[in-house]
Amino acid sequence: MAASIGWIYFSQAHRERVGTILELLEPSGMIDELGIGGIRDALADQLFPGISTIQTRAKYFFIIPYILYEYQHLKPHQRRLTAAQYLEQREYEIMWRLGDKYRNLAKDEESQKSFGVIGINRPKPLKIIRRPSAIYWNGLRTYNIIATGGLGVNQFLNRCTNTTLESQLSVATGDDSPWDDVDAEYEKNFHIKVRPPQPKWDEDLSLDLTQEEAEILNDHIQEKGKGYLIGELLRNDALYKEFHAKNSFMDFAKAAIYIPIPNNLRQLIILAHDFSELLYGAHIAYNHILQNLKRPDENNGAWWEKWIANIQSAMIDFEGFDPGYIFEHYAFRTKSFTRFFVLEWWDFIRHGGEDLQRRNGLIINQEKSNKAGKARLAWKKLDDVSEGQWIGLSTLDYRYHKGKGILTDIKKGLGENYATS
């Protein structure tokens, strides 16, 4: 019998938090059995800030402010909805319109996904758990497209409309006034830092960036992403070419360190690569133990033996690696038991990784601390473990592919073409 999840509706903020949890329960997602996802995300924030794993196309960085510009352009007697209600209504209208357009261009379900339309499989009147405004809100703040003051989307809209909108809307007089005439006043209301769209901007809407939009987003990311990998990628063509050509962060990192880039960024890339490689071994060990519990008479250790034999050469800077630096400078909020596990795991590997009893104890205790009563190893919960099945995280992506999608949109909008690898 299929399980279902429901909740009492309190607010949009509650709904968005539940949506985040539901995304983690999707069959296609990997569950973080050993609890290192928070460290991964902290490093990802230094590489691709403002990018999330559920973003799709760069165009949404403009669709949200364009809708807010529309609302500000309404005269007081036309505003029958609050700003939050208007944003939701227009997001769905545009979602259904884009869905209809791109579904007609798709040959199959996989082709539909490749277009990056949020909610493409939800035709009118079906809705989605997290709308683009929630998915892109942090990015809009990070790159100063909307100066949110750190507020969530609904709190921000409520504060803006309750304090300043009435007085500012008075500038929009005349039925045919061009929006450009009141750019400065619009910026004051919702603190939008990009120019208004053209009238009827949503007719025949495409998810491709216009050249002007690509230039704007390129400038904003370079300015606010300075010192981060994403900003350097837009600034450094040699680095971007490697980024475009490589299919994983791990492969990219090994090439990027030989390109002239700021030293602090090089060290971050090395640190992220080597952390991923180190914890990849922990997940190999986790699966090795699982398979041994499920099939004790079979030899399941080849994968582990190969990994431990090659770990020093697989890491870029084995001798210089310091996981404590990650906790000191990036992953401040890491739970104490996970911090202890990572430090102990590194000590175990650094001294040869030969004591399998110590290895197994570290893995079993960490899963138990992280998953409590749902821990497979501690409580022998093996019903869903099948032969050869990988469970848990693998090498870490750090939002690499999502960042590539956003930057590819920008490069295409700028007219810069790169050969597909």
Side-chain angles (χ1 to χ4, degrees):
M1 182 177 179
S4 61
I5 298 176
W7 67 92
I8 299 173
Y9 180 85
F10 290 105
S11 69
Q12 183 66 24
H14 286 91
R15 189 179 178 187
E16 289 169 4
R17 283 195 289 271
V18 172
T20 301
I21 295 169
L22 292 178
E23 285 157 11
L24 297 176
L25 298 177
E26 291 180 355
S28 60
M30 290 186 177
I31 305 301
D32 182 15
E33 306 292 350
L34 298 181
I36 58 98
I39 307 172
R40 172 203 60 202
D41 293 345
L43 290 171
D45 285 341
Q46 299 301 310
L47 297 166
F48 297 100
I51 305 300
S52 79
T53 58
I54 52 176
Q55 287 176 2
T56 56
R57 301 291 299 274
K59 188 74 169 190
Y60 288 103
F61 281 111
F62 292 91
I63 289 175
I64 307 311
Y66 287 173
I67 293 173
L68 295 182
Y69 271 129
E70 281 185 346
Y71 187 78
Q72 291 182 151
H73 190 60
L74 296 175
K75 296 180 175 58
H77 72 275
Q78 295 174 314
R79 289 184 286 107
R80 298 179 179 86
L81 302 175
T82 66
Q85 290 169 337
Y86 185 84
L87 176 61
E88 179 175 0
Q89 175 180 290
R90 290 290 285 131
E91 280 186 276
Y92 278 123
E93 289 173 358
I94 290 168
M95 182 188 85
W96 292 322
R97 190 178 304 169
L98 286 171
D100 290 343
K101 174 178 179 175
Y102 283 94
R103 274 195 305 275
N104 290 332
L105 298 175
K107 297 178 181 178
D108 50 40
E109 192 170 324
E110 281 304 309
S111 298
Q112 288 184 15
K113 293 178 182 178
S114 70
F115 291 124
V117 179
I118 296 174
I120 192 171
N121 61 346
R122 309 289 286 177
K124 190 175 182 178
L126 300 178
K127 296 187 176 183
I128 53 179
I129 294 171
R130 297 193 75 189
R131 307 194 316 275
S133 55
I135 295 171
Y136 283 80
W137 194 250
N138 181 52
L140 292 166
R141 176 196 62 79
T142 298
Y143 297 117
N144 198 37
I145 295 168
I146 300 177
T148 70
L151 299 176
V153 55
N154 285 341
Q155 186 180 5
F156 170 79
L157 294 178
N158 289 338
R159 176 170 295 184
C160 288
T161 52
N162 288 339
T163 57
T164 65
L165 189 55
E166 287 293 342
S167 60
Q168 300 299 332
L169 279 170
S170 62
V171 302
T173 58
D175 293 339
D176 300 315
S177 297
W179 292 8
D180 289 355
D181 291 347
V182 290
D183 281 357
E185 299 299 340
Y186 280 18
E187 193 274 339
K188 290 177 183 177
N189 280 292
F190 288 128
H191 312 292
I192 302 171
K193 306 298 183 179
V194 297
R195 287 175 59 80
Q198 295 297 318
K200 300 182 180 179
W201 63 273
D202 59 328
E203 291 185 3
D204 195 29
L205 182 64
S206 165
L207 284 180
D208 295 330
L209 293 177
T210 65
Q211 182 173 344
E212 181 182 21
E213 290 168 341
E215 290 171 352
I216 290 170
L217 193 53
N218 177 66
D219 291 345
H220 277 252
I221 292 179
Q222 283 202 43
E223 179 186 353
K224 295 301 178 180
K226 189 174 182 179
Y228 300 94
L229 176 58
I230 193 169
E232 186 66 20
L233 285 166
L234 289 174
R235 187 176 296 111
N236 186 328
D237 195 55
L239 185 67
Y240 183 82
K241 286 178 180 177
E242 289 293 345
F243 175 71
H244 180 81
K246 296 298 187 287
N247 290 322
S248 72
F249 173 81
M250 301 298 280
D251 289 341
F252 165 76
K254 290 178 179 177
I257 60 173
Y258 297 106
I259 295 172
I261 56 176
N263 188 59
N264 62 331
L265 184 56
R266 177 180 288 103
Q267 294 305 312
L268 174 62
I269 291 171
I270 293 171
L271 186 67
H273 174 279
D274 288 354
F275 178 77
S276 174
E277 187 63 48
L278 178 68
L279 271 297
Y280 179 47
H283 287 89
I284 291 175
Y286 176 77
N287 281 276
H288 181 199
I289 300 168
L290 271 180
Q291 293 294 326
N292 280 345
L293 287 173
K294 188 76 172 185
R295 296 172 181 79
D297 297 330
E298 297 181 16
N299 180 14
N300 300 300
W303 203 348
W304 165 259
E305 291 164 7
K306 180 179 180 180
W307 181 85
I308 195 64
N310 293 286
I311 181 58
Q312 292 195 35
S313 60
M315 291 174 66
I316 296 174
D317 186 16
F318 183 87
E319 294 299 328
F321 182 71
D322 178 13
Y325 188 88
I326 298 175
F327 302 123
E328 181 179 352
H329 293 276
Y330 306 121
F332 314 109
R333 297 183 177 87
T334 304
K335 294 178 180 178
S336 59
F337 65 80
T338 297
R339 186 186 299 241
F340 174 82
F341 166 70
V342 171
L343 295 175
E344 286 294 302
W345 181 255
W346 170 234
D347 183 73
F348 166 65
I349 297 302
R350 190 163 54 91
H351 289 92
E354 296 178 354
D355 185 350
L356 293 188
Q357 185 174 354
R358 182 185 179 193
R359 182 200 76 168
N360 293 356
L362 287 172
I363 297 295
I364 292 168
N365 288 336
Q366 176 61 14
E367 189 203 22
K368 185 178 178 181
S369 297
N370 184 52
K371 303 277 289 185
K374 296 181 180 180
R376 290 184 177 89
L377 299 180
W379 311 115
K380 306 297 189 293
K381 294 177 176 286
L382 308 176
D383 291 346
D384 64 342
V385 179
S386 57
E387 183 177 1
Q389 176 192 13
W390 180 272
I391 295 177
L393 303 179
S394 183
T395 52
L396 304 178
D397 179 80
Y398 300 115
R399 307 173 199 154
Y400 182 83
H401 287 92
K402 293 299 182 180
K404 181 178 283 191
I406 298 297
L407 296 192
T408 297
D409 278 350
I410 294 173
K411 291 292 186 179
K412 286 182 177 179
L414 294 173
E416 299 179 20
N417 297 316
Y418 293 82
T420 303
S421 59

